[in-house]
Amino acid sequence: MRIVADLHIHSKYSRATSREMDLPTLARWAKLKGVNLLGTGDFTHPTWLAELRAQLVPAAPGLFTLRGGPAEVRFMLTVEVSNVFTQGGRLRRVHTLIFAPSFEVAARINLALGRFGKLSADGRPTFGLSARELAEAVLEVSEECFLVPAHAWTPWYSIFGANSGFDSLEECYGDLAPRIHAIETGLSSDPAMNRRWSALDRIALLSNSDAHSPQRIAREANVFDTELTYPAVLEAIRAKDPARFLFTIEFFPEEGKYHFDGHRACGVLFAPAETRRARGRCPECGKPLTVGVMHRVETLANRPEGFRPPGAVPARHLVPLAEIIAEALGLGAESAAVEAEHLRLLEQGGSELAILLDLPPEELARFTPPRVLEGIRRVREGRLTITPGYDGVYGVIRLFGEARAQAPASEQMALF
Ligand SMILES: [Zn+2]
Ligand SMILES: [Zn+2]
């Protein structure tokens, strides 16, 4: 069956998240978005774990549904943790996703990790142990656990980030590197960028939303065709076989808030070459520029732009429907009018991903305002312009501006 999986979200117990991030709201929005496998996030948090135990019931090997909730939305026990440690004489900060096959295993992971940090402090706990030590501790609990370096390229808190990351999986994980089977590409990079670095050829590339509010679920996601069980989904990831791992759903990476380099306080936005010319310094204030994802990819890449290894899992780039509605109708993206129209379209179309990916224009035309439909067409065709994001500022998408870019270099598949 077709599975749309978003395996990185946060509960209301993580910092800077919406108070709505509880199980009924998550299940409702997963359904509205067209997601049938959602990470729970935050299983290391004692209160959240207690809510998960009380409200989730087993639905398939390693997966759960919400009691009394939509049967088609399943949950996987997941968490993101933050490791802050010194290695090779440098301070390192790496975020990692952990997937667990059962409550029993999750509880044992919490027991093992609780010695290294305060689990109740944050839904995304911080530990002083290294990324390698984390992997060792988790895999010692169960071989069925799965570790994924999160948003692998962002400048802060990621395995390959410019400020506190590493230059290879091996440098980070040592002898355990072969046990890492996937990385999360993050909003600011896409598979095409990652495939420029041959060191990642053996690795699957996952895309998740990292949602802090329910409306952001599935802004990135993974689409599989396999059994909806924990082992089958993980096996599809490990095999990265396009017959089972059909494609990822991506932001246009330029929209991500660390795509290019720059200095937010001074409004300086630089492409990697400009940063090199400026010797990494902000021309306004002289402080170091925040080096973004494209720059790091270019530093580590050993293949030209546009290289696509045979058998690579394809990607489809989307713009969130609420953003399309807002621009098409000339309204604020956070306005009540956009929210109302968004919900109306989701109910009419079945789900956001059905609207953005699947439904033919003739069908969309029955319930979609013409200018919104034109916006959806333009996203599908990659006809849009983007001012890249930098130093924590999201990029700006323009669907209806006069300047019009050609299709992105990364692949746009035929409609699913
Ligand atoms: Zn993170
Ligand atoms: Zn500056």
Side-chain angles (χ1 to χ4, degrees):
M1 68 178 287
R2 175 169 121 154
I3 299 164
V4 178
D6 180 356
L7 302 173
H8 182 179
I9 64 142
H10 291 277
S11 78
K12 59 186 175 183
Y13 298 104
S14 278
R15 270 180 218 146
T17 56
S18 158
R19 279 183 311 179
E20 291 185 291
M21 295 301 264
D22 54 31
L23 280 168
T25 311
L26 289 173
R28 172 170 168 255
W29 271 94
K31 193 174 168 206
L32 286 171
K33 290 281 180 164
V35 167
N36 46 2
L37 179 57
L38 188 65
T40 60
D42 298 2
F43 77 63
T44 49
H45 193 278
T47 318
W48 183 237
L49 185 65
E51 288 181 26
L52 297 175
R53 276 187 191 281
Q55 297 176 49
L56 295 181
V57 289
L63 303 179
F64 305 86
T65 49
L66 176 64
R67 182 180 285 120
E72 62 269 47
V73 176
R74 292 189 181 173
F75 288 90
M76 182 191 287
L77 294 170
T78 63
V79 66
E80 181 191 33
V81 303
S82 178
N83 289 68
V84 179
F85 56 102
T86 303
Q87 189 169 321
R90 280 179 56 195
L91 182 68
R92 315 288 182 157
R93 287 178 283 224
V94 177
H95 285 183
T96 307
L97 303 173
I98 303 170
F99 306 157
S102 68
F103 278 105
E104 192 245 320
V105 166
R108 277 162 50 212
I109 290 172
N110 294 352
L111 207 59
L113 297 183
R115 293 184 284 135
F116 302 104
K118 193 170 176 212
L119 301 185
S120 60
D122 188 350
R124 185 185 56 209
T126 299
F127 303 120
L129 75 182
S130 73
R132 189 205 163 280
E133 288 164 336
L134 173 80
E136 186 171 36
V138 168
L139 292 170
E140 217 168 77
V141 169
S142 168
E143 297 279 321
E144 289 179 278
C145 291
F146 202 77
L147 294 112
V148 182
H151 41 75
W153 295 95
T154 51
W156 318 97
Y157 305 107
S158 79
I159 183 167
F160 302 134
N163 293 323
S164 46
F166 295 86
D167 288 340
S168 69
L169 283 163
E170 288 70 23
E171 188 190 358
C172 178
Y173 288 103
D175 58 320
L176 293 184
R179 308 294 298 278
I180 303 299
H181 299 282
I183 60 170
E184 182 186 71
T185 54
L187 301 180
S188 297
S189 90
D190 67 357
M193 288 167 65
N194 284 261
R195 290 302 175 207
R196 293 180 57 192
W197 189 21
S198 61
L200 299 179
D201 283 359
R202 70 165 189 84
I203 292 281
L205 302 174
L206 292 180
S207 290
N208 301 301
S209 70
D210 199 353
H212 288 206
S213 58
Q215 295 80 359
R216 292 201 157 157
I217 290 172
R219 59 184 174 170
E220 293 206 334
N222 313 283
V223 183
F224 302 106
D225 184 5
T226 186
E227 257 185 277
L228 187 41
T229 67
Y230 181 93
V233 169
L234 289 203
E235 193 40 45
I237 295 172
R238 274 194 206 98
K240 55 189 177 54
D241 157 20
R244 278 181 286 165
F245 191 166
L246 300 179
F247 60 94
T248 56
I249 292 165
E250 304 283 332
F251 253 37
F252 288 89
E254 297 87 348
E255 193 181 4
K257 56 187 179 183
Y258 292 105
H259 184 72
F260 263 13
D261 307 334
H263 188 206
R264 168 163 44 173
C266 296
V268 170
L269 161 62
F270 272 179
E274 294 174 290
T275 304
R276 285 190 288 271
R277 273 200 297 278
R279 296 175 194 275
R281 296 275 162 185
C282 173
E284 298 295 324
C285 71
K287 288 197 182 132
L289 293 161
T290 298
V291 169
V293 161
M294 180 54 106
H295 194 134
R296 278 296 285 165
V297 169
E298 285 189 356
T299 302
L300 294 174
N302 54 359
R303 290 166 172 162
E305 210 172 326
F307 180 89
R308 189 162 187 267
V313 171
R316 296 189 56 185
H317 295 78
L318 297 179
V319 173
L321 182 56
E323 287 179 32
I324 299 174
I325 296 167
E327 193 187 337
L329 304 181
L331 298 164
E334 309 288 326
S335 66
V338 166
E339 194 186 332
E341 180 65 359
H342 188 197
L343 280 172
R344 187 185 71 80
L345 293 185
L346 296 185
E347 267 147 32
Q348 294 276 320
S351 77
E352 174 148 345
L353 291 175
I355 290 171
L356 294 177
L357 291 170
D358 299 333
L359 293 178
E362 317 78 79
E363 199 150 325
L364 288 172
R366 288 193 298 105
F367 59 90
T368 310
R371 204 166 145 85
V372 174
L373 177 54
E374 176 59 20
I376 293 168
R377 274 182 203 271
R378 288 181 184 201
V379 169
R380 286 180 176 183
E381 292 161 14
R383 282 193 290 133
L384 41 82
T385 58
I386 312 171
T387 308
Y390 69 103
D391 196 15
V393 180
Y394 279 110
V396 180
I397 300 256
R398 279 279 160 270
L399 298 170
F400 295 98
E402 54 275 54
R404 198 168 291 168
Q406 79 273 37
S410 36
E411 62 273 46
Q412 290 286 314
M413 283 172 47
L415 289 183
F416 183 75

